[in-house]
Amino acid sequence: MLQVYLVRHGETEWNAARRIQGQSDSPLTAKGLYQARQVAERVRNEGITHVITSDLGRTRHTAQIIADACGCEVIDEPRLRELHMGVLEERILDGLTEQEEIWRKQMVDGSPKGRIPEGETMTELAVRMRAALDSCLDLPAGSKPLLVSHGIALGCLISTILGLPAYAERRLRLRNCSLSRVDHQQSAWLANGWIVETAGDVSHLDLPALDELQR
């Protein structure tokens, strides 16, 4: 059985300011750095062999802190990037026009063909996220990788493992530096292949963490 840990990056300045990031970037806040250290401590003794990360700054910084704790190197994987939010990237959430808010909502409300202009669909996101996860099957026997990615991206990945369409209404909350785990296994009582062991665990954090909409 292959166990793969999934971590969302620590809080960023734009998370705190309610600014849309997508594949744009902003640095971790002091709280985000603290969260990264806490999740690193949580997994320090789990036998992590590979820390694989989205190549955006906020994930790479989170991943480096985890890798230092686990004695691993950081491996960049661009397929783990966040959903491309097109023309809404870098925009303040509360300043969107009515039309822009419609575009944004289509990414989370179950619209099958939702796409922000110049951005990705959830289906396109799901394809590359699943490919990144499946590539872990090629690691040496006995590996235990940890992937660092983003809230929408990881939520989409976990939801599709559960059998939901990529564009399904979002019902999984993954806060900053939450920890999830998926396993690849053969089982008499579960579907063969990828299954979800845990999702969105924040028991290692001693301060409240934000989700994407800061609710």
Side-chain angles (χ1 to χ4, degrees), residues 177-208:
C177 276
S178 59
L179 180 67
S180 306
R181 199 185 94 195
V182 297
D183 299 341
H184 194 274
Q185 62 172 36
Q186 307 295 314
S187 171
W189 294 103
L190 294 171
N192 290 329
W194 293 109
I195 61 99
V196 178
E197 175 70 19
T198 58
D201 182 7
V202 290
S203 61
H204 49 284
L205 302 180
D206 58 16
L207 295 172

Side-chain angles (χ1 to χ4, degrees), residues 58-101:
R58 59 192 185 272
T59 38
R60 280 204 100 263
H61 200 168
T62 303
Q64 189 63 63
I65 292 169
I66 297 170
D68 288 346
C70 296
C72 303
E73 294 184 0
V74 173
I75 302 169
D76 283 349
E77 173 51 87
R79 290 176 295 187
L80 292 174
R81 285 187 174 196
E82 182 60 293
L83 175 74
H84 196 301
M85 302 288 279
V87 298
L88 298 189
E89 297 207 356
E90 305 185 23
R91 296 289 303 283
I92 295 289
L93 185 63
D94 297 331
L96 300 181
T97 67
E98 182 177 352
Q99 179 59 64
E100 289 169 340
E101 178 63 9

